[in-house]
Amino acid sequence: YRLGTRIRHLGYDLSPEKMKAKHERTRGLLEKQLAENPDNPFALFNYAQVLRTQDGAFARHAIPDILKAAGRAIELTDPEQKSQRHIHLMCLEQVATCHYYQKEFEKVIEVCDRALRLKPDYLDPLMIRANALFKLGRYEEARGAYEKYLEVQASYDPGTERDPIILTHID
């Protein structure tokens, strides 16, 4: 349930040394969890998330492992099942972001379109898709895609969000 309350999570406002230790601890715990249950979609999503955010920036060297974990979570989840939908959607975003960093812009558009067919107001794929169109030199399409993002972003109300997703491009 969404409440009219905000919680300030301070777990990421740590020194670089403490963040590195936290990252290593979390990664180790997820690897142990996946060794015991390799087909846990939520653990796969979290593992991909941990891999992509190493050292405060996108970890390009981890792209193959991110694609493997997120891709497997996509295979294991049914977006029509409420308990799995958010994992499926966020893993599609993870895959699209990897393709973006690999400069595979047509694949970005394909994966974003999959996510947007499921959730037309999903801000992250809207932004990533617009960026991919721009990188492909499809400027008029990119302009329309950016305008669509701005339209959805302007009307976005976290209080009415039905999918428990993490958003990167909310602002």
Side-chain angles (χ1 to χ4, degrees), residues 80-110:
E80 300 304 318
Q81 297 291 319
K82 186 176 180 178
S83 64
Q84 300 175 12
R85 178 180 164 84
H86 66 293
I87 298 167
H88 191 89
L89 286 166
M90 291 187 297
C91 286
L92 286 170
E93 185 275 331
Q94 289 171 329
V95 168
T97 299
C98 286
H99 289 309
Y100 186 85
Y101 280 104
Q102 291 180 308
K103 300 181 184 336
E104 298 169 340
F105 303 120
E106 293 292 348
K107 286 184 180 179
V108 171
I109 294 166
E110 177 186 318

Side-chain angles (χ1 to χ4, degrees), residues 118-139:
L118 295 167
K119 183 171 177 55
D121 65 344
Y122 190 2
L123 288 169
D124 289 343
L126 286 168
M127 177 59 80
I128 297 164
R129 186 179 187 282
N131 289 341
L133 288 165
F134 183 83
K135 291 287 190 177
L136 287 168
R138 293 162 54 181
Y139 301 121

Side-chain angles (χ1 to χ4, degrees), residues 17 38 45 47 51 57 65 72 77 96 99 105 108 125 139 157 171:
E17 299 81 26
F45 159 74
Y47 187 61
L51 290 176
D65 293 327
R72 183 66 181 139
T77 53
H99 289 309
F105 303 120
V108 171
Y139 301 121
D157 177 3
D171 295 321

Side-chain angles (χ1 to χ4, degrees), residues 29-48 65 68-77:
L29 289 170
L30 286 165
E31 287 171 347
K32 182 179 179 197
Q33 185 179 13
L34 288 168
E36 294 168 3
N37 184 359
D39 288 337
N40 180 324
F42 191 60
L44 288 162
F45 159 74
N46 282 310
Y47 187 61
D65 293 327
K68 182 178 175 185
R72 183 66 181 139
I74 291 166
E75 291 171 2
L76 293 168
T77 53

